[in-house]
Amino acid sequence: AQRSFRICMTDASHITLLPRLLAHVRAAAPTVRLHVVNITAATAQLLETGEADLALGFIPGLEAGFHEQRLYTQDFICLVSVEHPRIDAAFTARAYKEEAHIGILSSTSYPMLQSALKRQGIDRRVQLELPGFLGLAAIVSSTDLVATVPRTIGETLARMGSIRVFPCPVRIPTFTVKQYWHVRYHHDPGLRWLRGLCAQL
């Protein structure tokens, strides 16, 4: 096939899914090209007009006129440096409230995290806000800041540096990562192949 697919995804998926997806595409269809764009407010329109073929992630409100497939459920975990001066064998809710944090603004699950903390009366001391996950592993491993992130991206980043992973000690709802596509492209053979590959991975 000589075809280019445009996929909307978060920068977390750039780290967790894209390398495996690219490896499989290059092996099975070496002349197929992938064009990755961010998930934004325009994602629904891009899918509807065919300017984008597929969206992967947690995209609340993207239902009417779209097909969706559940890929996996995510919970939240906390990342801290293995050299953290106050957190060692356990990470308690009290420590969560007392420590300084990193906020990841581009994460589509970030509003859910903030809302859950607000409902519980937890006001995190966010000392650093990042636009995305780029550089997060280096920052966590070299500071005493805590990052609360979805499990898949957190475990991937933890393998890149001197980072310890803890269950989140406060209650945060889980969410479902899905793939979305517009109904008018449901039977396109190329998109069916791409969707099957994403579901398999």
Side-chain angles (χ1 to χ4, degrees):
Q2 303 279 342
R3 184 162 178 179
S4 178
F5 293 104
R6 178 174 282 200
I7 306 174
C8 304
M9 62 172 63
T10 63
D11 63 337
S13 293
H14 295 178
I15 299 169
T16 59
L17 176 63
L18 186 56
R20 289 184 295 144
L21 178 60
L22 181 60
H24 277 71
V25 168
R26 292 192 72 197
T31 55
V32 162
R33 294 179 298 152
L34 300 180
H35 180 188
V36 176
V37 296
N38 290 329
I39 292 174
T40 67
T43 295
Q45 183 180 355
L46 293 176
L47 292 169
E48 185 176 358
T49 61
E51 294 176 72
D53 299 297
L54 193 63
L56 297 166
F58 171 63
I59 316 176
L62 191 64
E63 281 93 24
F66 296 90
H67 287 290
E68 62 181 49
Q69 180 182 15
R70 293 169 174 256
L71 298 179
Y72 54 93
T73 299
Q74 287 275 71
D75 62 342
F76 286 87
I77 59 175
C78 293
L79 307 181
V80 301
S81 169
V82 296
E83 304 293 334
H84 198 288
R86 292 171 299 282
I87 300 170
D88 188 15
F91 186 38
T92 64
R94 178 177 177 178
Y96 189 90
K97 297 170 187 176
E98 293 174 350
E99 294 294 334
H101 292 258
I102 303 170
I104 313 297
L105 301 181
S106 72
S107 174
T108 51
S109 61
Y110 192 64
M112 174 193 294
L113 170 62
Q114 292 290 82
S115 177
L117 294 174
K118 184 176 181 180
R119 282 195 305 273
Q120 297 174 67
I122 299 172
D123 185 20
R124 290 191 307 169
R125 183 162 53 95
V126 177
Q127 194 160 18
L128 173 66
E129 289 184 331
L130 295 175
F133 292 95
L134 182 64
L136 182 62
I139 293 167
V140 169
S141 63
S142 62
T143 68
D144 65 352
L145 299 178
V146 176
T148 305
V149 296
R151 178 174 295 277
T152 302
I153 181 64
E155 290 179 343
T156 302
L157 292 175
R159 290 192 291 269
M160 297 179 179
S162 302
I163 295 174
R164 182 177 285 128
V165 174
F166 289 100
C168 187
V170 297
R171 295 184 312 277
I172 311 295
T174 61
F175 63 94
T176 303
V177 175
K178 303 175 182 178
Q179 57 179 342
Y180 304 82
W181 62 96
H182 197 269
V183 292
R184 67 177 56 159
Y185 307 108
H186 182 63
H187 297 292
D188 180 288
L191 296 184
R192 289 177 64 183
W193 170 78
L194 182 63
R195 296 194 305 262
L197 185 55
C198 290
Q200 174 191 336
L201 294 174

